[in-house]
Amino acid sequence: MSLSQLFHHQEFIARHIGPCDTEQQQMLAEIGASSLEDLVAQTVPAGIRFNRALDLPAAQREVDALADLKAVASKNVVNKSFIGLGYYPVITPGVILRNVLENPGWYTAYTPYQAEIAQGRLEALLNYQQMVIDLTGLDIANASLLDEATAAAEAMALARRVSKVKADQFFVDSRVLPQTLDVLKTRAEYFGFELVLGHPEEAGNGDYFGALFQYPGEAGDLLDLTPYIAAVKAKGGVAIVAADVMALVALKSPAEMGADVAVGNTQRFGVPMGFGGPHAAYFAFRDDMKRSAPGRIIGVSVDAKGKTALRMALQTREQHIRREKANSNICTSQVLLANMAGMYAVYHGPAGVKRIAQRIHRLAAIFAHAVKAAGGKLKFEQFYDTVQVELGAHAANVYAAALAAGINVRDAGNGVLGVAFHEAATEADLAKLIEVFTGKAADIAALDAAAADAIPASLKRESAILSHPVFNQHHSEHEMLRYLKKLENRDLAMNHSMISLGSCTMKLNATSEMIPVTWPEFANMHPFAPREQAAGYLEMIEGLQQQLMAITGFDAISMQPNSGAQGEYAGLLAIRRYHASRGDAHRTICLIPQSAHGTNPATAQMLGMQVVVVKTDDNGNVDMADMQAKAEQHAANLGALMITYPSTHGVFEESIKEICELIHANGGQVYMDGANMNAQVGLTRPADIGADVLHMNLHKTFCIPHGGGGPGMGPIGMKAHLAPFMANHVVAEVPGAVAGQSAVSAAPFGSASILPISYMYIRMMGAEGMKRATELALLNANYLKDKLAAHYPVLYTGKNGRVAHECIIDLRPLKAASGVTEVDVAKRLMDFGFHAPTMSFPVAGTLMIEPTESESKAELDRFIAAMVSIRQEIDAVQNGVWPKDNNPLCNAPHSKADIAGEWTRPYSREQAFFPLPYVLDNKFWPSVNRIDDVYGDRNLVCSCPSIDNYE
């Protein structure tokens, strides 16, 4: 072998792909395909095939790709950041860094729809909710949103839903963070709201359906908002406070000032800045608003034996039920980051968090005192962590001196510089800042003795926080480590077995892809740092954009949307702006097939579009006659079509090009939902098919892990005519974006710190590997489909009997014959050590299965064996061997608690716990029995119960 062959630059391809070459040949033979090329020819319509190599660099070994990316990252200059504006350096406790953020047991889990095997994450999220409830003083908190700016926008929409005021004016505090105002402007325009900007004292002057106040203000100033909130509420409006989470440890809570809703970012609780994200936004509200609130809420229920058990309450996949009437299109959250923030509070406890918060304020107070003592002038005398100094013409010199000292401060304009203190700031940092601003060496001890606090007595926090036992018993590292491990053991994640969720693409999240996320060069960069300091970030982002353009065929990529739903919003936003630029603002009809993702109708509604549903035929394809009729009927006002390809039914529709041409002929634009891009990469390209814009779920096709329900990234690809209408950013302009276009997310590049994951994936796979991954996704799906078809009806197949990357099995005939439901099958799979496939979406009473290319033949065979065994159990119920109300299916899952005690069931313990031999070798134990959803709905509790309930 040559030296080049021995270096084996393509070795990662086989690391990512499950079946080896020999297994691939076996699987091809079993499904009746002579080769991968033959399978592709049978599956992907000839008219849309790419038929050439992707314009991507050659594949790299893991070690080489990491070295190259490290060289890029080293171009970043990570100064000490005192910029503030909602983002702060933190100290992530090592036990949380290693055992949560860097632990596949936490980051490869899926959204906890199957609650019985997600009790660990659900408890962690309940802790997070309790933390937010304590800090805000409000009744209920959800399990996080995407970022502070979009949380504020969701709060505005909530206010409109519940407000008694009929006017469409919304008051915004002029002290709000600039990125929050930027996002509010975007959302308000298409909701038809008028934003009125003013000082808080002006909030009572008009009839506003709601008002948003910042606490502290963007310049750091502290105001008691109580009278302004009262003035808004007196007229029937909803009062919202955007509050700094660390400041709330030291300050009077929003609820104590009368707020109805509180929003903010929990980044300061141990989550690195990461050039803007991901971070978990908090969202808290009054109890009477719970059924109008966005996002997920974790609730306390009981299992079949009466034991306390947790689940997602109220908001569970509401988009798929309520569609355009959903409260929000956001069905993801920032679970991994919320868990980190919640665990930060658990680890430090109330005393530790208060010490950190007080230290931050003390640093700020000493700095302010030193500046004043040297003759300087402060813009505000009352503040928490941010001190603004009025320097006039001298500001430029001080700013330059700070840079020379390796420190970033905020240039607030008009000769004002801001210094925002934080947890990671040291006494040495304080001394250097004082020297830079005053020109004098600092005697910190003397200044400390002389400096008074800058929080007025009326705003100091008196109410207790974090009093629940969970925040008061895990403060040693041993205890914390064991608590995290206990919770991890209650969750089934990808490090245990495959998660075959259709449309969610739970593939390998390789360690080499994950490693750069926590490199200081990426983790510790402020999103508004001077751009020359972020050269490495910008180079990496531009490289990823070029890769995605090659893969999709689009002319431009916007990296700002920080979830798939945000990508949908950004894509339709570009379409709406494009139409408006041509005098076609009236084009607001959005055609959406019945098979569309549930977020699609909700997104269209949020952009002021009218949803017109297009039928699907008996084979699950778009009904072309109905599509043509509705496109022509609405031609004068047709704005867009939202279509998923391959379809949500798991097939490549033959008529996709014809559909795109039809929409264009009638004046509309084609938005393609990229949820199923895993079946397209290297075989076909959305732009070539006819799509004008597409969002890409980087947390699916491009290997960013799901994190137990987030983070995600949803960048959009656009044709050239839509590119001028992509989101920009008011604080830090986006390269290539047009000035004046408002933002969709808080940070210019969304959740930038997780972009290296996708960058590394594409670099290690190269053109050949990316195509091979797609081919294996098709092979694994068709192998699984053919094996299961002998036991279950397969609902939809394509022209040649093939499926794309996923298949839907229909349990409705079996339910009719046996009484066994799709829920029973989903819960029974837990006893075999598997997470259920996607249940009852897109068709009720079905399971949608996507094995992904990363699963080995052995793992597929184990899953198939489990499904065949379950079918035999269904037959036993149908044939009367077991009663319909007492069998392994309706009693599933069987928890550890079922082992002990008397066993009176008509099947054996072995049948319950170890239904197949392989289960004994690697048993996953559900920690609770089937959860009672009805009880949870009737007895809604969304805060931490007594710790005794968990024992």
Side-chain angles (χ1 to χ4, degrees), residues 485-531:
K485 183 62 177 174
K486 181 177 77 171
L487 297 191
E488 180 191 344
N489 288 346
R490 293 176 177 175
D491 280 17
L492 192 149
M494 293 278 283
N495 60 344
H496 181 273
S497 58
M498 71 184 286
I499 299 179
S500 59
L501 286 147
S503 187
C504 288
T505 317
M506 299 289 291
K507 62 169 71 177
L508 172 72
N509 314 118
T511 307
S512 290
E513 295 157 8
M514 300 300 298
I515 285 172
V517 172
T518 51
W519 286 348
E521 299 93 333
F522 287 138
N524 297 339
M525 179 70 67
H526 193 289
F528 306 144
R531 281 293 168 81

Side-chain angles (χ1 to χ4, degrees), residues 354-418:
K354 287 177 184 176
R355 185 179 298 109
I356 293 166
Q358 289 167 357
R359 183 175 78 232
I360 291 169
H361 178 64
R362 194 73 200 135
L363 289 166
I366 293 169
F367 173 77
H369 177 79
V371 168
K372 290 171 64 178
K377 182 180 180 184
L378 305 184
K379 189 169 183 182
F380 300 106
E381 295 287 339
Q382 296 181 344
F383 51 82
Y384 168 63
D385 63 12
T386 299
V387 181
Q388 289 207 339
V389 184
E390 296 184 342
L391 293 161
H394 191 46
N397 293 333
V398 174
Y399 185 84
L403 281 178
I407 295 173
N408 290 343
V409 297
R410 181 189 173 196
D411 182 354
N414 299 316
V416 176
L417 297 184

Side-chain angles (χ1 to χ4, degrees), residues 136 148 213-216 241-248 254 262-265 282:
T136 63
E148 180 169 342
F213 303 99
Q214 192 78 42
Y215 181 64
V241 173
D244 180 283
V245 69
M246 188 63 79
L248 289 183
V263 300
N265 189 355
Y282 73 80

Side-chain angles (χ1 to χ4, degrees), residues 828-850:
R828 182 58 171 152
L829 273 168
M830 297 176 190
D831 293 326
F832 290 81
F834 285 110
H835 193 292
T838 304
M839 187 176 68
S840 288
F841 174 78
V843 180
T846 67
L847 294 178
M848 182 163 60
I849 308 170
E850 180 179 356

Side-chain angles (χ1 to χ4, degrees), residues 13-20 23 776 780 853-857:
I13 297 173
R15 307 289 191 203
H16 176 81
I17 290 172
C20 67
E23 290 171 334
L776 264 294
N780 280 2
E853 71 274 11
S854 294
E855 298 303 338
S856 67
K857 182 176 182 295

Side-chain angles (χ1 to χ4, degrees), residues 750-773:
S751 295
S753 72
I754 57 176
L755 294 178
I757 301 170
S758 299
Y759 179 91
M760 282 289 293
Y761 170 60
I762 298 171
R763 289 298 291 114
M764 293 188 296
M765 293 291 279
E768 179 184 341
M770 296 300 291
K771 179 182 178 184
R772 183 56 53 89

Side-chain angles (χ1 to χ4, degrees), residues 362-697:
R362 194 73 200 135
L363 289 166
I366 293 169
F367 173 77
H369 177 79
V371 168
K372 290 171 64 178
K377 182 180 180 184
L378 305 184
K379 189 169 183 182
F380 300 106
E381 295 287 339
Q382 296 181 344
F383 51 82
Y384 168 63
D385 63 12
T386 299
V387 181
Q388 289 207 339
V389 184
E390 296 184 342
L391 293 161
H394 191 46
N397 293 333
V398 174
Y399 185 84
L403 281 178
I407 295 173
N408 290 343
V409 297
R410 181 189 173 196
D411 182 354
N414 299 316
V416 176
L417 297 184
V419 181
F421 288 88
H422 48 78
E423 175 189 14
T426 65
E427 289 183 78
D429 295 332
L430 175 61
K432 177 57 69 176
L433 280 163
I434 292 172
E435 182 181 350
V436 165
F437 273 76
T438 67
K440 301 175 183 178
D443 182 342
I444 299 300
L447 290 169
D448 188 16
D453 283 353
I455 299 174
S458 63
L459 284 180
K460 287 186 177 180
R461 184 162 201 129
E462 302 294 339
S463 54
I465 60 168
L466 307 179
S467 56
H468 188 273
V470 75
F471 300 111
N472 291 278
Q473 60 188 19
H474 303 295
H475 301 159
S476 75
E477 183 160 336
H478 253 158
E479 286 301 308
M480 188 65 182
L481 181 67
R482 289 165 183 162
Y483 181 56
L484 290 172
K485 183 62 177 174
K486 181 177 77 171
L487 297 191
E488 180 191 344
N489 288 346
R490 293 176 177 175
D491 280 17
L492 192 149
M494 293 278 283
N495 60 344
H496 181 273
S497 58
M498 71 184 286
I499 299 179
S500 59
L501 286 147
S503 187
C504 288
T505 317
M506 299 289 291
K507 62 169 71 177
L508 172 72
N509 314 118
T511 307
S512 290
E513 295 157 8
M514 300 300 298
I515 285 172
V517 172
T518 51
W519 286 348
E521 299 93 333
F522 287 138
N524 297 339
M525 179 70 67
H526 193 289
F528 306 144
R531 281 293 168 81
E532 59 270 19
Q533 294 177 11
Y537 246 123
L538 297 176
E539 182 178 332
M540 183 271 294
I541 290 169
E542 184 181 358
L544 181 56
Q545 288 174 315
Q546 293 296 324
Q547 293 167 351
L548 294 175
M549 284 191 282
I551 288 166
T552 62
F554 287 106
D555 302 305
I557 303 284
S558 170
M559 304 302 293
Q560 192 172 119
N562 52 0
S563 78
Q566 281 285 84
E568 291 180 21
Y569 187 91
L572 280 193
L573 174 66
I575 289 174
R576 287 228 58 188
R577 287 172 169 173
Y578 167 74
H579 283 314
S581 75
R582 294 160 53 87
D584 287 339
H586 60 277
R587 289 192 170 274
T588 58
I589 298 294
C590 187
L591 302 183
I592 303 181
Q594 288 175 330
S595 60
H597 276 82
T599 49
N600 290 175
T603 301
Q605 178 270 331
M606 288 172 66
L607 278 147
M609 302 189 83
Q610 179 185 342
V611 174
V612 174
V613 177
V614 178
K615 297 175 183 176
T616 54
D617 62 24
D618 293 340
N619 295 318
N621 298 318
V622 171
D623 184 321
M624 282 302 297
D626 192 49
M627 175 70 79
Q628 181 165 354
K630 286 172 176 169
E632 293 175 353
Q633 174 189 351
H634 297 288
N637 298 302
L638 181 60
L641 164 73
M642 298 186 81
I643 189 165
T644 304
Y645 198 73
S647 77
T648 309
H649 291 152
V651 296
F652 283 95
E653 299 197 29
E654 297 285 330
S655 58
I656 184 63
K657 274 196 166 183
E658 183 183 350
I659 290 170
C660 294
E661 291 166 0
L662 175 66
I663 298 303
H664 290 147
N666 286 280
Q669 295 284 289
V670 176
Y671 168 90
M672 186 175 284
D673 188 306
N676 295 341
M677 268 296 292
N678 206 44
Q680 284 200 49
V681 178
L683 302 182
T684 184
R685 301 198 307 179
D688 299 343
I689 292 170
D692 298 291
V693 61
L694 164 118
H695 90 263
M696 292 155 267
N697 288 327

